[in-house]
């Protein structure tokens, strides 16, 4: 007979559902990275000269940089010469014009993932720019968006059709030499999403992209750029799943957000990359740079993330509060189970006057996982009236896992109001027994406790995403006890 | 309803129950008394199915079925309720949410539809009024920051909502002031009925002034040393537990 605490040890172990590889002839470059590879990527995408130059500058800087080692994560050294830096499911020239033209196998993949693209898009009124591997293959609801003047397209299309916008804003939030992975991304990014919301426009629907890694040994380098012009508003959803595989995969995306005066950007993520198996084998390395710039007065950028996947997560969606009265928010749920490692948090940089930021971070650790919150609140000398509130909570399931908190505060304005609260709690065998004695199954009890713990963050997600996130969390923690 | 025969159970290798037998029928209220360490709480936990307790021999039959075969949640859905001596705090989980989930788990087991949200709320508020409970407690985390009396009232509220067939209240009276004790007793008495059995595990006789038992048992060293009617409890109060221990040994 197992004891309650033994059971608790093992409640997080359902297999990753989305583990399969779609067999589509991938057009993949041989492994390794040099200037020729960068040129080849740029040429293949028919990029203008300025893009190539931009990539090459990034590449040369990257060559001088060292991989960061300060995060609370451990993994064998990555051989960057063993990675293939480009993979497209089909040739760029004959990309499908509608869903009818899309490879049926791909659509089947979406179905397996529980994402019946067209159905879902139609029912939810969501525009979907589905990224399969590195090249976008389906874009819907374009018409409605273009009527509103909204540009929502694959990044490569933006380079072609709106070079002036790309040139003006690309790298303006995350510069090429920002950090090792951002530089790498800048050199080799293959595609991603581009969004421009014109002045005074409220985007008529939520914009959504599903990401998926598919070709083995191919690092995925997404680039997303969202610009909300003065007085505009947009909500962007990013969600992803990935197929099961043995080898580690590097994923180094960059997301840049620009909010001009009175504009608002809400960016929500549900991240479910393959986390590796129960023994910590395989899984995605998710080294992402996400940053938003509240460039104009009264602008607002809000990050909400539910991170359940990846073997290693290294991610700090941040806000630069440049405009007076600008607002930055970060709501995060990070789940680490089995041998997953997460080092995630945010940076709030207060520059403008009367800027305010809110950080709510919920970390859940189970199995042998390590979960770290790392956050920086910096108040510059000129940022009169700056306010920050940070709430940082950790929940432990079982006794082999760890939770760590690394809050940094650099306050250079004596008038700033900065608050930090932190708690650590544990799902105890007694709590579970109590629930079971009331007729509630152990799994439901864990879900209930975990969802209760996360509800402050879930309520920030758009409705349909919140439901999905809750379900995902339940799946991620299934088997953690029992 | 409940037949326990020669039950032996241990925790961490230490035998606590050493051949306990007890019969409880529908409509009855039993009080189980005894000194600390005599096995009262162990008996309650074993009936509820706590996995830390190991049953080495004996049988427990509930409604004609082998109770020991059932998981704790199955026992609960079959109508067994344990009022905890130390109700657990579950921060972040709304008290009403847990209560509703519990009610619905039971209803689902019985093939009934989920309870309507308005009906649920109305019922919960009725029961809370009876227990003299602040309705605000419904919207707090489960037992989170509750006073001792509030926690025990909350247990009785759950019992009232779940309408168990067999309710075991483990030292529900301990640590209560007189007002709370009265409120709890009122809740328990309201549930007395011909098709329900109640087992009160208690150290003191004072709860029995308010909830009159049909049978009183005294536990000593993992066995029932003495059974009687309510006068046994009064005798105990007067003579102390040494009297039973001596009687059992002599």
């Amino acid at each position: 007979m197992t004891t309650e605490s033994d059971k608790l040890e093992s409640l997080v172990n359902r297999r990753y559902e989305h583990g399969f590889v779609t067999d589509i002839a991938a057009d993949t470059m041989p492994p390794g990275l040099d200037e020729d590879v960068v040129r080849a990527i740029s040429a293949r995408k028919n990029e203008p000269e300025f893009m190539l130059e931009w990539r090459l500058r990034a590449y040369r800087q990257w060559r001088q940089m060292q991989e960061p080692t300060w995060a609370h994560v451990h993994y064998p050294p990555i051989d960057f010469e063993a990675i293939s830096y480009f993979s497209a499911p089909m040739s760029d020239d004959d990309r499908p014009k509608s869903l009818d033209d899309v490879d049926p196998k791909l659509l089947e993949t979406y179905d397996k993932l529980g994402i019946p693209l067209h159905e879902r898009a139609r029912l939810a009124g969501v525009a979907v720019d589905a990224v399969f591997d590195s090249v976008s293959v389906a874009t819907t609801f374009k018409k409605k968006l273009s009527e509103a003047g909204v540009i929502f397209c694959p990044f490569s299309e933006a380079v072609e059709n709106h070079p002036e916008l790309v040139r003006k804003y690309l790298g303006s939030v995350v510069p090429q030499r920002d950090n090792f992975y951002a530089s790498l991304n800048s050199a080799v990014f293959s595609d991603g999403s581009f969004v421009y919301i014109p002045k005074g426009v409220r985007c008529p629907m939520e914009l959504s992209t599903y990401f998926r890694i598919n070709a083995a040994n191919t690092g995925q380098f997404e680039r997303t750029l969202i610009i909300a012009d003065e007085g505009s508003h947009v909500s962007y959803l990013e969600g992803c799943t990935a197929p099961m595989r043995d080898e580690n995969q590097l994923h180094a995306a960059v997301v840049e957000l620009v909010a001009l005066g009175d504009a608002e950007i809400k960016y929500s993520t549900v991240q479910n990359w393959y986390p590796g198996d129960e023994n910590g084998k395989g899984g995605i390395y998710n080294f992402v740079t996400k940053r938003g710039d509240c460039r104009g007065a009264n602008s607002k950028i809000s990050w909400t993330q539910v991170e359940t996947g990846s073997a290693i997560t290294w991610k700090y969606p941040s806000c630069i509060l440049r405009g007076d009265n600008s607002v930055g928010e970060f709501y995060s749920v990070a789940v680490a189970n089995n041998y997953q490692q997460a080092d995630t948090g945010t940076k709030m940089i207060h520059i403008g006057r009367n800027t305010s930021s809110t950080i709510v971070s919920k970390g859940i650790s189970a199995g042998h996982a390590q979960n770290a919150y790392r956050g920086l609140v910096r108040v510059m000398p000129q940022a009169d009236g700056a306010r920050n509130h940070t709430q940082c909570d950790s929940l432990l399931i079982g006794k082999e896992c760890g939770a760590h908190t690394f809050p940094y505060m650099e306050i250079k304005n004596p008038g700033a109001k900065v608050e930090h609260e932190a708690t650590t709690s544990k799902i105890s065998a007694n709590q579970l027994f109590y629930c079971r004695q009331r007729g509630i199954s152990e799994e439901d009890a864990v879900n209930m406790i975990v969802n209760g713990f996360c509800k402050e963050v879930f309520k920030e997600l758009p409705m349909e995403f919140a439901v999905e996130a809750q379900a995902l969390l339940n799946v991620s923690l299934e088997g953690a006890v029992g | 309803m409940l037949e326990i025969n020669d039950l032996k159970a241990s925790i961490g290798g230490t035998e606590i129950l050493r051949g306990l037998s007890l019969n409880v029928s529908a409509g009855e209220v039993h009080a189980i008394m005894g000194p600390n360490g005599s096995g009262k709480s162990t008996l309650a936990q074993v009936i509820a199915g706590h996995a830390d307790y190991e049953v080495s021999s004996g049988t427990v039959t509930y409604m004609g079925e082998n109770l020991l075969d059932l998981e704790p949640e199955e026992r609960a859905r079959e109508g067994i309720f344990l009022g905890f001596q130390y109700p657990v705090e579950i921060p972040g989980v709304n008290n009403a949410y847990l209560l509703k989930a519990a009610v619905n788990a039971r209803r689902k087991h019985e093939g009934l539809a989920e309870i309507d949200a308005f009906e649920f709320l109305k019922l919960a508020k009725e029961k809370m009024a009876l227990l003299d409970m602040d309705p605000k407690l419904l919207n707090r985390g489960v037992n989170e920051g509750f006073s001792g009396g509030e926690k025990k009232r909350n247990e009785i509220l759950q019992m009232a909502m779940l309408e168990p067939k067999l309710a075991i209240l483990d030292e529900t009276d301990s640590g209560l002031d007189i007002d709370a004790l009265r409120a709890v007793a009122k809740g328990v008495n309201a549930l007395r009925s011909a098709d329900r059995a109640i087992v009160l595990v208690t150290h003191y006789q004072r709860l029995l002034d308010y909830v009159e038992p049909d049978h009183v048992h005294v536990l000593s060293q993992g066995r029932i040393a003495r059974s009687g009617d309510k006068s046994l409890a009064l005798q105990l109060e007067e003579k102390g537990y040494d009297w039973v221990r001596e009687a059992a040994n002599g």
Side-chain angles (χ1 to χ4, degrees), chain A residues 82 91 94 127 171 182 196 217 220 227-228 241 270 357 394 449 471:
Chain A
S91 107
D94 49 16
Y196 173 77
N217 276 327
Q220 178 103 352
I227 303 139
T241 57
V270 169
S357 60
S394 304
I449 294 169

Side-chain angles (χ1 to χ4, degrees), chain B:
Chain B
M1 178 181 286
L2 181 73
E3 289 123 45
I4 302 174
N5 195 16
D6 199 23
L7 182 67
K8 292 183 181 166
S10 57
I11 180 167
T14 307
E15 190 170 71
I16 309 283
L17 299 183
R18 300 171 184 164
L20 183 141
S21 299
L22 176 69
N23 284 325
V24 178
S25 302
E28 294 177 347
V29 174
H30 289 242
I32 300 201
M33 305 182 72
N36 290 330
S38 59
K40 302 189 300 290
S41 283
T42 297
L43 176 62
Q45 297 285 335
V46 167
I47 294 172
H50 197 295
D52 286 354
Y53 295 86
E54 196 174 340
V55 174
S56 53
S57 70
T59 58
V60 182
T61 310
Y62 169 71
M63 313 284 290
E65 281 188 78
N66 180 3
L67 186 69
L68 301 177
D69 280 350
L70 302 180
E71 292 293 325
E73 57 269 38
E74 294 169 329
R75 299 180 193 197
R77 291 172 200 156
E78 289 289 341
I80 293 181
F81 178 90
L82 171 63
F84 283 75
Q85 182 178 5
Y86 303 108
V88 182
E89 295 195 11
I90 313 178
V93 175
N94 187 282
N95 202 26
Y97 187 84
L98 177 96
L99 191 55
K100 193 155 163 257
V103 168
N104 282 330
R106 177 87 193 271
R107 288 177 69 98
K108 191 179 169 196
H109 183 71
E110 287 170 356
L112 298 171
E114 291 202 348
I115 189 166
D116 172 81
F118 291 104
E119 195 189 323
F120 167 81
L121 215 57
K122 185 168 161 272
L123 199 61
K125 287 194 170 150
E126 263 173 43
K127 307 283 186 196
M128 288 179 99
L130 180 76
L131 291 167
D132 207 7
M133 270 175 92
D134 184 348
K136 284 189 191 116
L137 293 180
L138 265 187
N139 298 318
R140 297 249 301 263
V142 175
N143 292 320
E144 189 182 5
F146 285 23
S147 71
E150 284 170 340
K151 283 182 181 170
K152 296 296 174 75
R153 280 176 163 100
N154 201 35
E155 294 293 289
I156 303 300
L157 170 66
Q158 293 177 355
M159 177 174 79
M161 292 294 288
L162 288 168
E163 300 185 330
K165 294 186 183 115
L166 172 64
I168 303 156
L169 302 179
D170 189 5
E171 307 230 6
T172 298
D173 53 335
S174 65
L176 293 188
D177 63 31
I178 192 70
D179 291 336
L181 185 70
R182 278 195 182 128
V184 163
K186 201 162 126 194
V188 175
N189 282 326
L191 273 181
R192 288 185 84 145
S193 82
D195 51 8
R196 179 173 296 128
I198 298 173
V199 176
L200 305 168
V201 173
T202 179
H203 196 77
Y204 303 105
Q205 109 89 25
R206 62 173 194 160
L207 174 66
L208 307 182
D209 289 342
Y210 300 95
V211 185
E212 226 174 83
D214 303 303
H215 302 275
V216 175
H217 312 276
V218 183
L219 268 189
S220 177
Q221 295 168 25
R223 253 176 247 145
I224 288 183
R226 214 178 173 108
S227 296
D229 61 13
K230 62 182 180 184
S231 65
L232 179 59
L234 294 168
Q235 258 180 299
L236 266 179
E237 184 84 345
E238 198 182 310
K239 297 182 181 169
Y241 284 119
D242 286 343
W243 164 66
V244 180
R245 235 174 261 149
E246 281 158 23
N249 293 338

